[in-house]
Amino acid sequence: MTQRQFYNPELDQTGLYTEVWQTEHIQVKDIQDLVVTNHYWQDAAGELWADFDDPMENVHRSFDTYRKRKGYLTPNQIRQLREDLHLTVRQMATALGIAPSSLTQIENNQRWA
């Protein structure tokens, strides 16, 4: 059982939290029955909190599961495809009809739609 001290800005206090992995059924976009194992920190009162160091961790996990279910390319696969085609970000973005900054965000797993 992993435990760590965290400062909780919502409670404005530091406390000991226990790591919890919890399998949940969630909805992402048009899929209502995704099964995702999410990561939380549980306080002494039993309340679950998102990771204080990476609050978007479970959101990323959910969208990764969604992409896999839909058969979409991962950000790394998109980057690898672009590199295999010997295209710059600007060239690939133009071919896709999106802004280069959007493609960069997609390749860096910072954009999901």
Side-chain angles (χ1 to χ4, degrees), residues 92-105:
M92 178 89 157
T94 298
L96 294 172
I98 63 174
S101 60
S102 295
L103 180 55
T104 298
Q105 290 172 339

Side-chain angles (χ1 to χ4, degrees), residues 27-45:
Q27 177 178 345
V28 175
K29 295 192 176 196
D30 59 327
I31 299 181
Q32 297 179 11
D33 63 342
L34 287 176
V35 178
V36 180
T37 301
N38 283 323
H39 180 233
Y40 297 100
W41 291 96
Q42 187 173 38
D43 64 18

Side-chain angles (χ1 to χ4, degrees), residues 42-56:
Q42 187 173 38
D43 64 18
E47 187 168 354
L48 296 177
W49 297 85
D51 194 306
F52 297 101
D53 297 329
D54 184 7
M56 295 298 290

